[in-house]
Amino acid sequence: MEALLRGAPAIAARAKPSRRGALAAGAAIVLGSPAVAATEGGVIRWRMATAWPKTMKGPGVSAQRLAARINTMAGGRMEVATFAAGEIVPAFAVADAVSNGTVEMGHTASFFLQGKIAASVFFTSVPFGLSPILHESWIGFGGGQALWEELYRPLGLQPFLAGNTGPSLAGWFRREIRGPGDIKGLRIRVSGLGGELYRRMGAVPQVIPPGDVYPSLERGVIDAVELLGPMNDLDIGLQRIAPFCYVPGFNKPNGAAEAVINLAAWDKLPDDLKAIVREACRAEHAAGLAEAQLGQGVALREIASLPNVTLAGLPVEVLKDAHKIASALRQEIGATGALAGRILASYEAAAAQLRPWDRISRVPDFHDN
């Protein structure tokens, strides 16, 4: 275990018998008419639909905390109420609900829109892409925010980074992965661009909302799960069913969440409330990532101590195949349109500028654990 945590090949661990936090999103209640932000006694009231179970560590907590921060900073002039996946709309319909005015605000992930806007994946995570801090640098200071706003403007959405769970695990598998051949035919729950990547590797990707992952794995609908990091995966209880835990999370090296705001509702806000919402999102992005780093470290130790779980590095040949496919996929997305091409060019320019310093600035780890 200690060898793997220092970066060497992997070792075995065991699953606890307890099931913790297997969550499922409820049936969606789709409202019949668009919502209008209520104003009572001068108070602006917004509803925020989220893609997560309300108590889900990481994004679920971030959404709650974001609303609470806006409410406090607004000093009674604005109130945001949060709704879990399924309470107003299903997990994957949050952006649509904000776009059409069913709700004023949403908390979700940009790559849930990839079926509609291919380039949206760059604003959450792409395989072998930017890490959380490098991604935030690109969005905040490398031109990413302006491109993101341009991409979402036709949908009537104003986007902001608003939480981050950090890199994901490669996932939890029912059977051992010894090489590329073991990926073929694998039914894996996977999000973002990784779905197409796994399909091209021969797997059968499945799109399943976060709240439905555990029951799908438990019923044998899927053979493997790529969800989030150790903190969330352990809390949900994936280790009880899929005993092979693999690293690194090549598919999702970043876990950025987004707040999306109906553009008409956004434009009606006074400048000081706009600043409050913007800074609340920025603060939650930083807080979410810091909290996740601590939680993931603690959870990884626990995973590595479970005698019935095997914690291992993916075979190099699997990673090489995935990297080749990921590079091709990014270029294909960039070729889907002029704006997509500019987003890809900006993203790759940021990677070229940021990665050299990121690599050489790391202090070698001489610790024993």
Side-chain angles (χ1 to χ4, degrees), residues 1-13 297 300-305 311 365-369:
M1 181 269 292
E2 298 296 342
L4 179 61
L5 297 189
R6 292 195 301 269
I11 58 174
L300 181 62
R301 283 284 175 189
E302 184 172 348
I303 289 171
S305 72
L311 177 61
D365 186 359
F366 297 111
H367 298 87
D368 292 331
N369 50 52

Side-chain angles (χ1 to χ4, degrees), residues 10 15 77 126 138 142 150 178 210-211 248 252 283-284 290 296 313 331 349 352:
R77 293 173 55 209
V126 294
W138 172 58
E150 185 177 352
R178 294 191 177 96
K252 274 182 10 199
E284 184 49 44
Q296 310 298 18
Q331 297 306 312

Side-chain angles (χ1 to χ4, degrees), residues 217-240:
L217 186 64
E218 187 177 41
R219 293 196 306 267
V221 175
I222 49 178
D223 308 307
V225 171
E226 176 274 302
L227 184 60
L228 289 168
M231 174 180 69
N232 295 93
D233 294 358
L234 190 67
D235 193 59
I236 290 171
L238 302 179
Q239 73 281 0
R240 295 185 59 217

